[in-house]
Structures are given as C-alpha cells and as structure tokens.
Amino acid sequence: MTDRDDQKRRNLRMALILATIAAAFFLGVIAKYILFAG
Amino acid sequence: MSAVLDHPGHHAHDDHHHAPAGWRRWVYATNHKDIGTLYLLFSFTMLMVGGVLALLIRAELFQPGLQLVNPELFNQLTTMHGLIMVFGAIMPAFVGFANWMIPLQIGAPDMAFARMNNFSFWLLIPAGLMLVGSFFMPGGAPAAGWTLYAPLTLQMGPSMDAGIFAMHIMGASSIMGSINIIVTVLNMRAPGMTLMKMPMFCWTWLITAYLLIAVMPVLAGAITMTLTDRHLGTTFFNPAGGGDPVMYQHIFWFFGHPEVYIMILPAFGIISQVVPAFSRKRLFGYASMVYATSSIAILSFIVWAHHMFTTGMPVTGQLFFMYATMLIAVPTAVKIFNWIATMWEGSMTFETPMLWAVGFIFVFTIGGFTGLILAMAPIDIVLQDTYYVVAHFHYVLVAGSLFAMFAGFYYWAPKWTGVMYNERMGQIHFWWSMISFNITFFVMHFLGLAGMPRRYADYPAQFADFNAVATIGAFGFGLAQVFFFFVVVLPMMRGQGEPAPQRPWNDADGKGAEGLEWEVPSPAPFHTFETPPQLDASGNRLLQPQLGGRSH
C-alpha cells in the first residue's frame, strides 16, 4: 500500500466517523422528543 | 506535479497546468482554489440579495406609517434577510476563505475530499434558488423570523416547506464542508507543521468545523420535526396535541448560539493573520489564542437560553445562563488583548487590510459589550426584541464577520489574482463602509433603549428621526458594497492592476506576512504543494529557496 493509499484510507475513516456523529446527533434529537416528550 | 516546488523557473507554464477551460472548469471543479472562488462569488451574490431585502426594510422604516410594503411582506423581508445573510452569505463566504487558504497554509495539495467539496458547493445553488424563489410561492416567503419559531411555522403556507428544505440542503452542505476541513487539517498537514505551529485561521476553522458537526444536525432535527408537525400529524411543537413551542426555541438556540460563534471564529482567525502582518511582529500569545478559541467554542454550548429569558424560565436557570454568558467575555477579551498587544510597539502600517482589522477590533468590541449588557437577565427582559438587540447583532455580524472578510479579501486577494487592488479605492471602501455602518446601526441602540420593537413595519412618530438616519446610513452602506464590487473586485478578477509581488505585505527588511501561502508565487499556481513541502522549524517557511514568481 502506498502512502497515498494509506492517507486516503485514513481520510475516509475519519470522515465516516464524523458523518456518523452528525447522523447520530440528528436522529438523537428527534428520538429524544419521540421517546421523552417534554 | 507541484507547480511551485518541482519546476523552478517554469511557474508561468504551470500556473495553468491541468486547469480545465470553459464552464467545465467550474461545474466539475475539484481544485480547492476554484471551489473557493465559487463559494466567494456565491456568497457575494447572496450578500447583494440579502442587502436588497435589508434596503427594502429600511426604506419602509424611513418614515412612520406604511409606505412601500404591507406588514405581511415586511415580515417576509426580515425573515428572508436573516436566512439569506446567515446561511447564504456569511457561512459560505468563510467556507470560501477556508477552501482557498487552508490547503495553502498547511502545505496540502488540496482538500481531502475534492469531489465532495464540489458537491458541497453545488448543493448551495438549488438551496439558494429555493430560498429566494419562495417569495413567488402562494402566500409569499416564510415570515416566521430567521429563527423559524413554532407555532408560526406550523401556520404558514407552502413556502415554509421550501424554506425548510433549503435549510436541510444548506445544512448538509455545511456538514460535508466541515468534514472536509477537519480531515484536511488533521490528516494533510505538511511534515513539521504541528498543530501548535498551524496558522490561527486554520485553528479557528478547525474548531468551527467541529461546532458545525455538533449543531447543524440539531437544527436539521428541529426543522424536520417542524416538517412532520406540518404534514404528518405529529405535535412536537403544537400545544393542541400536547406539544411545546418553547421546546422548539430550546432546540433552535442550542444550534443558534454556537452558530453565532461559527460566524465569528473564522473572522477571529483572519484578524489574527492580518494584525501581525501589518504590525511586523509575531502574534502575541499564540497558544492563549488557541485556548481562548476552544474555550469560546465549548462555552457556546451552555449559554443558549440567554435568548429566551422572557419565556418564563426559573430564576436559577436565568442566573446560570446569565453567568455562563458573561464568562464568554473572558476568552473573548483574551483575544482582543492579544491583538492589541501584537500591535504594541510594532512597525505598524495601515494598508487597507489593516484598516479593516483595526476597524473590526473597534466595532466588534462595541458589539461584544452590548452583548454583555444583554446577557444580564434583568436588562434583557426590558430590551428583549427591541432594536437594541438588532444593533447588537449587526455590530457582531456585520462589523464582526463582514469586516473581517473584507480584511481577509484585501489581504489575500493579491495572492489569489496576482494583481494588487487600488489602495486608494480600498481605503475609500473602508471609510465609506465604516462611517455608513455606524450611521445605520449606532442609532438603533437609542431606538431600542427607547422601546422600539423589532420586526414591526410601522412605529410611533417619536422614533422617526433615528429611523430616518438609520435608513440613510443603510443606503450608504449598500452603495459602498456596490462600489467595492465594481471598483475593487471586478478589476482584480480581470487582472487589472499592478502585478502583485510574492510577498506584497513585507517591508524592506522582509518583515510582514508569514505563512506558507506567501511561499508560493502570485497568483498562486493552479496546483500547489503536490509533493509535501519541507518546512523550517517555525513551520512558516519552506526550507528550499523560494522558486519562481514575482518576488518582493
């Protein structure tokens, strides 16, 4: 694996983690008010 | 191949190496510089659209009584002015600066995800069109205020759906942009560019990007719930079904207050670059600047309810949010102190970027102080929803964010375009804007203290004089920006002007602007740092001698 491939892999992994966090916040806010209204 | 580092003496050829021509260059753009340019042009267009709406508002308020627009349209104008300026002008403009400067400043060849970068930008076009187009939908544009408060949003016509959809798209664009920036900064810095050697603009954007990832999904959640309330029979915010409109305000401001810092932290970054360059000194207290920026970001999550003191929260809640808000003054003051200490005993010169930076410090501090005043719950209860609040946040967002962007434009545009702007015209733009801005917004403090509420199309006669003054100032400020575009921006885009040296801000002793962006020729070649550059111990200079370009 070249350095460039390695960097692409690290970039993608970090992006997926960040996107997962964002999606969790989005769904979490809605879920909170469905499950624990008020 | 790196245009700058690998081919000494051939930069003229390499300037356009691999640069596609025609419309494909822009539609299929994956180059960070091109995408940065697209962002900046889009945001300036939206600034003009939002500005026209602002001038319509001010024209209506020139005299008491209803002259030009009816109250319904007036509410639409204030709502759309806010949404367009926040989501269409300020945020994309800073992303434009980030696209242009972050890879150049950290020695990276491009952003980490070049195609996603293209997608992030082009998402903005349909979102912007939908926002502006909502004026032509049945019932007119959304009129619930830029905060999109329930239950107003539940009662509006189809344009509210268009507005919500536009916000979703812009939010997705922002999140993708943030992911790109975080990954680029953390993974793609040149060897030797440690985090604590990174330029402050990159630091402030890194922190801003984390803020965006944390809060944009919260806004998306709130407006999604609004959408389901409108169409799917849920009652999250509808009291008729057991919902709570105040809960919307809590969720919105959990997004909205960090959003304020999203719009000001990159501005702090720009000022932290410009002030040292024109003081011919290193930034005073670099580490404390980083920690202060981080502190502001963290504190921004625990102050949201200071926007809601009049909603009937317990006194203990008011006290908590009041003190937490006042605490933010500490790291903010650290930054102001550091900028002034940087200027102290520096060899200062006052070219246009420095004028904007000093002007920023002056007027932003006024906005900061009025923010402190509004943070006090007893005072806020009196001033809530008055023109005092309008004056406060325009001092922060116009004199803060916009002035910093102008500082950044005049500072970096020679690197972008390869030509110098006309210094005299730049200074005229500054003084014209600075004076007309204060004419517009300073009098609003008095209007607010006298009790004039915001978002009203009409007012009693005792408010007439200050309103007339504010309207005259607003038209002056608007004209100043038209002047800026035609006299400064357009000539630079056409390459008209003195050729810009590689380091335009350095004095005869070589002191001035520092950073890797000044290690490449002017204009910056299409491709830069394709092979990782080798840096000196400071992280500001290349180890190899500077190659090509017009040196100072």
Side-chain angles (χ1 to χ4, degrees):
Chain A
M1 182 182 289
T2 63
D3 286 350
R4 200 175 175 85
D5 291 335
D6 184 50
Q7 179 161 71
K8 276 186 180 175
R9 186 184 291 264
R10 283 187 294 125
N11 288 353
L12 188 61
R13 187 170 56 215
M14 187 179 285
L16 287 174
I17 291 169
L18 292 168
T20 306
I21 291 170
F25 282 179
F26 170 63
L27 296 173
V29 168
I30 298 174
K32 192 266 179 192
Y33 291 102
I34 291 174
L35 299 174
F36 310 104
Chain B
M1 288 295 105
S2 164
V4 186
L5 302 175
D6 297 347
H7 301 286
H10 289 76
H11 88 283
H13 160 73
D14 292 326
D15 278 358
H16 304 287
H17 192 57
H18 295 315
W23 60 270
R24 284 182 182 81
R25 172 173 179 178
W26 304 104
V27 174
Y28 301 145
T30 50
N31 182 289
H32 70 100
K33 302 177 184 87
D34 282 354
I35 295 176
T37 303
L38 287 170
Y39 265 109
L40 290 171
L41 289 174
F42 172 81
S43 60
F44 192 82
T45 306
M46 294 303 269
L47 182 79
M48 290 295 104
V49 173
V52 167
L53 303 185
L55 292 183
L56 281 170
I57 293 167
R58 283 314 322 167
E60 173 54 48
L61 293 174
F62 183 61
Q63 286 183 323
L66 296 176
Q67 279 78 229
L68 296 173
V69 299
N70 60 42
E72 288 76 21
L73 180 55
F74 187 88
N75 285 344
Q76 294 169 27
L77 292 174
T78 54
T79 301
M80 297 307 290
H81 167 71
L83 286 174
I84 287 172
M85 288 303 200
V86 169
F87 295 101
I90 298 178
M91 290 174 68
F94 280 132
V95 180
F97 277 98
N99 261 290
W100 250 106
M101 298 318 302
I102 287 177
L104 278 177
Q105 289 192 320
I106 63 173
D110 206 308
M111 299 295 280
F113 302 102
R115 290 187 184 87
M116 188 167 80
N117 206 13
N118 173 294
F119 189 48
S120 300
F121 170 75
W122 283 105
L123 277 179
L124 290 178
I125 303 297
L129 287 174
M130 211 162 3
L131 261 187
V132 177
S134 67
F135 272 107
F136 306 103
M137 295 180 74
W146 85 276
T147 51
L148 302 177
Y149 273 0
L152 287 171
T153 45
L154 308 181
Q155 300 159 357
M156 300 218 149
S159 67
M160 184 53 69
D161 300 321
I164 288 174
F165 192 36
M167 307 289 288
H168 274 130
I169 296 174
M170 287 180 162
S173 165
S174 280
I175 289 170
M176 283 191 281
S178 304
I179 289 173
N180 223 337
I181 287 168
I182 292 172
V183 175
T184 304
V185 170
L186 293 186
N187 282 359
M188 298 182 68
R189 297 189 312 280
M193 171 75 73
T194 61
L195 281 175
M196 292 308 278
K197 287 179 184 170
M198 216 165 50
M200 271 310 296
F201 180 69
C202 298
W203 254 117
T204 53
W205 242 117
L206 177 66
I207 293 165
T208 301
Y210 275 115
L211 278 180
L212 274 164
I213 296 235
V215 301
M216 285 308 294
V218 176
L219 173 70
I223 57 178
T224 301
M225 286 188 273
T226 303
L227 209 55
T228 62
D229 274 8
R230 284 170 57 81
H231 297 294
L232 300 180
T234 60
T235 55
F236 289 110
F237 308 127
N238 187 353
D244 184 0
V246 175
M247 191 53 70
Y248 175 86
Q249 296 190 25
H250 279 290
I251 307 172
F252 178 84
W253 285 113
F254 186 80
F255 148 81
H257 200 78
E259 169 72 9
V260 172
Y261 294 101
I262 286 165
M263 290 187 282
I264 202 64
L265 291 183
F268 289 169
I270 292 174
I271 300 303
S272 299
Q273 305 278 163
V274 173
V275 168
F278 294 90
S279 303
R280 272 83 202 184
K281 282 173 67 184
R282 284 280 173 86
L283 181 67
F284 182 90
Y286 172 90
S288 67
M289 282 298 219
V290 173
Y291 299 134
T293 310
S294 310
S295 306
I296 291 170
I298 292 165
L299 287 172
S300 75
F301 286 106
I302 58 165
V303 299
W304 78 89
H306 68 217
H307 296 272
M308 303 167 54
F309 281 143
T310 55
T311 55
M313 73 177 73
V315 172
T316 45
Q318 292 186 25
L319 285 173
F320 173 80
F321 286 106
M322 179 174 97
Y323 288 129
T325 305
M326 293 167 82
L327 202 57
I328 294 188
V330 178
T332 311
V334 167
K335 298 182 88 71
I336 307 266
F337 175 84
N338 283 350
W339 291 324
I340 294 171
T342 304
M343 289 188 267
W344 185 258
E345 293 191 336
S347 301
M348 291 171 70
T349 55
F350 291 93
E351 288 90 343
T352 308
M354 186 61 161
L355 281 180
W356 284 106
V358 175
F360 165 95
I361 295 171
F362 177 61
V363 278
F364 176 80
T365 304
I366 294 176
F369 276 130
T370 55
L372 262 181
I373 291 166
L374 286 168
M376 290 178 237
I379 298 178
D380 183 79
I381 287 166
V382 178
L383 295 174
Q384 167 89 20
D385 270 342
T386 67
Y387 264 77
Y388 194 88
V389 179
V390 177
H392 158 68
F393 68 71
H394 281 91
Y395 265 80
V396 174
L397 291 179
V398 180
S401 305
L402 189 64
F403 279 21
M405 281 184 232
F406 286 137
F409 175 83
Y410 284 101
Y411 181 59
W412 282 313
K415 182 60 62 188
W416 301 343
T417 62
V419 293
M420 298 301 291
Y421 59 88
N422 184 314
E423 182 63 35
R424 187 176 175 79
M425 295 302 134
Q427 300 211 1
I428 289 172
H429 175 222
F430 168 75
W431 286 111
W432 187 351
S433 298
M434 179 59 118
I435 292 167
S436 56
F437 166 81
N438 281 290
I439 291 172
T440 310
F441 293 107
F442 199 75
V443 293
M444 289 186 189
H445 292 109
F446 306 132
L447 287 169
L449 288 169
M452 179 169 166
R454 62 192 285 206
R455 293 171 171 154
Y456 277 66
D458 192 8
Y459 52 83
Q462 73 260 31
F463 300 131
D465 292 346
F466 283 139
N467 269 296
V469 170
T471 298
I472 292 166
F475 275 84
F477 189 75
L479 278 177
Q481 308 329 313
V482 175
F483 170 85
F484 165 66
F485 183 72
F486 285 105
V487 177
V488 178
V489 178
L490 265 189
M492 291 188 90
M493 288 176 68
R494 290 173 176 161
Q496 296 165 353
E498 291 288 313
Q502 181 174 324
R503 295 189 176 87
W505 308 123
N506 285 20
D507 61 15
D509 298 332
K511 288 185 175 176
E514 289 194 341
L516 295 184
E517 72 266 40
W518 307 109
E519 299 288 298
V520 301
S522 301
F526 192 66
H527 294 294
T528 39
F529 303 127
E530 286 216 322
T531 51
Q534 295 193 326
L535 311 182
D536 70 358
S538 73
N540 285 319
R541 291 266 174 151
L542 302 182
L543 278 178
Q544 302 99 319
Q546 186 52 52
L547 307 170
R550 291 184 285 264
S551 59
H552 182 74

